[in-house]
Amino acid sequence: MTALALSGVTLALGGREVLSGVSFAVPDGAFVGVLGPNGAGKTTLMRAVLGLLRPVRGTVSVFGAPARRGNPAIGYLPQARGSTAGLRLRGYDLVAAAASGHRFGLTLGGAAERREVDWALDLVGGTALAERPLGELSGGERQRLLLAQALLGRPELLLLDEPLASLDPRHQHGVVTLVREIQQHLKLTVLFSAHDLNAVLGVLDQVLYLGGGQAALGTVDAVVTAPVLSRLYGASIDVARIGGRIFVVAGGQTVGCAHEHAPLAAG
Amino acid sequence: MFGYGFMVNAFAAAGIVAVLAGVVGYVLVLRGQTFAGHALSHVGFSGATGAVLLGVSPLWGMVLMTLAGGIGMGLLGEKLAHRDVAIGLVLSMSLGLGMLFLHFFTASASQATALLFGNVLGVTAGAVWTLLALAVVSLAGLAVLARPLLFATLQPELAEAKGVNLRLMGVGFLAVVALATALCVQIVGVLLVFSLMAGPAAAAQALTARLARGVALAAVLALAEAWGGLTLAYHTDWPASFWITALSGGAYLLAALRQGMRIRR
Ligand SMILES: Nc1ncnc2c1ncn2[C@@H]1O[C@H](COP(=O)(O)OP(=O)(O)OP(=O)(O)O)[C@@H](O)[C@H]1O
Ligand SMILES: [Mg+2]
């Protein structure tokens, strides 16, 4: 069973093609790391899967049906924009806003709705955090609540757009293992975009590399290789493996993979 | 104090409008759109004076103009959301246009003052019923939008993905705000609407982080400020609008101080 399938998909924004004729299929239950430099199209791809962006060409199908807005089978954690960071509002209310928030009417916090929110908060270990105002939470704690929000409605496919942004390595590890546990517990398919391959390396089933309008999906060993990435980026790329970590190097500079926190020497 | 019919009317009118302003204002502050709300009342000024010129009731001219302004702003949406200069210019143009209408009408200065600074003691019994009806319409509109509006406010990308129409939420909410603004003007006037819409809501958000409690607190604060202002006006013979704005500012200051102290501890 395929969770997500793209065939010949071209996505364009403002007249510019972000992805051109991309095809791949993500099997059900896979944990897929989505990698690629800034502007490669990670967010754009997720928006297409959510049905928010119609492909210029090709088809995007989710569990066998065409991508459409409001598909309850998909959970989504948008790339952080920090708009909620300073709010004087309890975390619980932020999470609960998404529970049946697509239906018109007054929120009176029905019992079923509250149970669902409590379930999701419990799953991410965020029950206590949710009692505090958002403005007083750290980035990692806020990310935990947003993950709970993405789990509302019990989706089968989870799209997480850079949930590690602005987290230190220890908290990155915390979020990655948490997502992995939840993914295995609920048998979810996960697309997890990140800038540091090494941060997610331990939990990946497959990796989806985006670059130059193209995409390459496969196991880490198959995709993160000099020939595949060189073809993708249209430049000479070297891949170095040092002590269980992987570094992608172009013209002597690491790209898309190594992180400020993980200089070459630290590998 | 309640021996006078005009005081009874004033208390009823101020009470209705304050509760509405508190609730609508809470969402307005949450969405960071207080300046848009402020501008809407000024847009209403030209509507009210234009209506006087045409011999129509200023309240309906006001409602019409604020609604048109609110829906227009909502349709422009994101493009306008952070254009403070554009909003500010429309705001002052509208005040200017209102002055021109008043000039043609050669209205008394007191009519202009009543519109600009409010004249709650002049509200008639008939007007109270009109205010009540419009307030119910506005609150009903907010109740229908409440859930998706809150979702769209707090997590726009996720809400959009779940099928919420962000544009519809923006337009619908500003229409609600427009109506509430037109009603607030009847109490505190065009220039002072901010203190009734934003003041209690901001104070409530400083006092509690709970959503439901915050909305209720905003309504209660607005009501207390409106009625407190009327009572003080009655005893001092100073303008009610002055007292309402003073209480609103004072309450916000105290709430902000309390929050500041709580964080420092
Ligand atoms: N509204 C828009 N109009 C035109 N181009 C856009 C728009 N939004 C994004 N783009 C372009 O589309 C490309 C893909 O953007 P996208 O946000 O998907 O990248 P990303 O891989 O998520 O990057 P990041 O790592 O920075 O989040 C970028 O080149 C960006 O400049
Ligand atoms: Mg992105």
Side-chain angles (χ1 to χ4, degrees):
Chain A
M1 172 82 177
T2 355
L4 171 65
L6 272 73
S7 76
V9 169
T10 296
L11 299 175
L13 280 174
R16 269 189 50 238
E17 288 193 3
V18 179
L19 294 180
S20 313
V22 166
S23 303
F24 61 80
V26 175
D28 202 3
F31 192 120
V32 180
V34 181
L35 288 125
N38 290 123
K42 301 180 290 294
T43 301
T44 307
L45 171 69
M46 290 190 181
R47 287 180 60 83
V49 175
L50 289 163
L52 293 174
L53 178 68
R54 201 182 289 277
V56 182
R57 276 185 301 281
T59 53
V60 178
S61 56
V62 180
F63 297 112
R68 62 176 176 93
R69 255 182 86 180
N71 186 343
I74 310 180
Y76 178 41
L77 194 164
Q79 190 165 4
R81 295 188 320 161
S83 54
T84 55
L87 274 186
R88 274 283 300 164
L89 189 70
R90 197 167 54 129
Y92 189 96
D93 292 319
L94 172 75
V95 177
S100 57
H102 54 289
R103 271 187 241 128
F104 281 100
L106 204 56
T107 308
L108 288 174
E113 198 178 296
R114 211 167 313 167
R115 260 200 309 280
E116 187 71 10
V117 174
D118 290 342
W119 166 82
L121 284 173
D122 184 48
L123 216 54
V124 302
T127 307
L129 287 180
E131 291 307 313
R132 294 168 48 195
L134 288 166
E136 296 174 17
L137 296 180
S138 79
E141 292 166 339
R142 213 163 21 243
Q143 214 59 292
R144 227 167 241 271
L145 296 185
L146 295 180
L147 182 60
Q149 192 172 45
L151 290 169
L152 290 177
R154 321 227 168 180
E156 293 159 64
L157 170 64
L158 208 51
L159 307 179
L160 308 178
D161 202 356
E162 303 204 21
L164 303 184
S166 78
L167 301 188
D168 64 33
R170 195 170 63 85
H171 285 92
Q172 289 192 354
H173 182 74
V175 169
V176 169
T177 42
L178 175 65
V179 172
R180 178 60 160 176
E181 276 167 26
I182 292 172
Q183 181 245 348
Q184 295 193 323
H185 176 59
L186 301 176
K187 304 196 172 22
L188 303 176
T189 308
V190 172
L191 258 63
F192 189 117
S193 82
H195 276 284
D196 179 8
L197 172 62
N198 292 306
V200 285
L201 198 54
V203 301
L204 292 186
D205 296 316
Q206 296 200 333
V207 62
L208 175 65
Y209 252 93
L210 301 181
Q214 300 301 308
L217 176 77
T219 61
V220 172
D221 287 338
V223 171
V224 190
T225 61
V228 172
L229 294 187
S230 296
R231 186 152 28 82
L232 196 62
Y233 291 121
S236 155
I237 306 269
D238 289 321
V239 175
R241 289 167 194 258
I242 305 167
R245 299 172 71 92
I246 302 181
F247 298 93
V248 177
V249 189
Q253 279 188 310
T254 56
V255 291
C257 245
H259 204 259
E260 289 97 61
H261 304 294
L264 265 173
Chain B
M1 162 164 79
F2 294 112
Y4 299 99
F6 69 88
M7 277 314 272
V8 174
N9 291 341
F11 265 82
I16 293 164
V17 171
V19 170
L20 175 68
V23 174
V24 174
Y26 186 92
V27 187
L28 197 66
V29 171
L30 202 62
R31 284 175 71 84
Q33 286 184 316
T34 47
F35 188 53
H38 183 63
L40 276 180
S41 71
H42 292 70
V43 171
F45 181 66
S46 62
T49 50
V52 171
L53 193 60
L54 295 175
V56 192
S57 141
L59 174 62
W60 292 108
M62 182 112 209
V63 167
L64 210 69
M65 267 316 265
T66 51
L67 269 179
I71 291 169
M73 272 191 214
L75 285 176
L76 288 174
E78 281 288 293
K79 284 196 213 96
L80 196 72
H82 300 287
R83 297 273 176 85
D84 288 359
V85 175
I87 297 180
L89 280 174
V90 170
L91 175 164
S92 20
M93 263 171 52
S94 188
L95 271 184
L97 200 59
M99 270 321 286
L100 180 70
F101 291 158
L102 281 179
H103 170 78
F104 286 143
F105 187 61
T106 54
S108 58
S110 73
Q111 182 129 29
T113 314
L115 272 172
L116 289 174
F117 295 102
N119 182 23
V120 64
L121 299 182
V123 175
T124 63
V128 170
W129 288 109
T130 313
L131 290 182
L132 181 64
L134 288 176
V136 168
V137 169
S138 177
L139 275 181
L142 188 62
V144 170
L145 294 182
R147 204 148 44 177
L149 178 65
L150 186 70
F151 194 10
T153 301
L154 295 176
Q155 282 289 66
E157 292 95 349
L158 182 59
E160 196 186 10
K162 291 288 177 189
V164 174
N165 185 335
L166 298 186
R167 172 74 56 94
L168 179 67
M169 290 303 126
V171 173
F173 178 62
L174 279 178
V176 167
V177 173
L179 209 48
T181 300
L183 302 196
C184 281
V185 170
Q186 312 308 312
I187 309 301
V188 289
V190 165
L191 297 178
L192 309 178
V193 165
F194 199 83
S195 65
L196 213 48
M197 288 277 260
Q205 276 177 28
L207 290 173
T208 175
R210 284 169 172 266
L211 182 75
R213 218 175 269 181
V215 174
L217 189 58
V220 169
L221 277 175
L223 190 65
E225 288 161 12
W227 281 355
L230 279 176
T231 310
L232 286 166
Y234 180 81
H235 289 294
T236 58
D237 208 25
W238 293 7
S241 293
F242 162 75
W243 282 119
I244 294 174
T245 51
L247 287 178
S248 165
Y252 175 68
L253 197 67
L254 286 179
L257 279 178
R258 183 176 171 280
Q259 189 200 348
M261 272 157 52
R262 212 177 61 84
I263 287 175
R264 206 157 314 134
R265 257 191 293 123

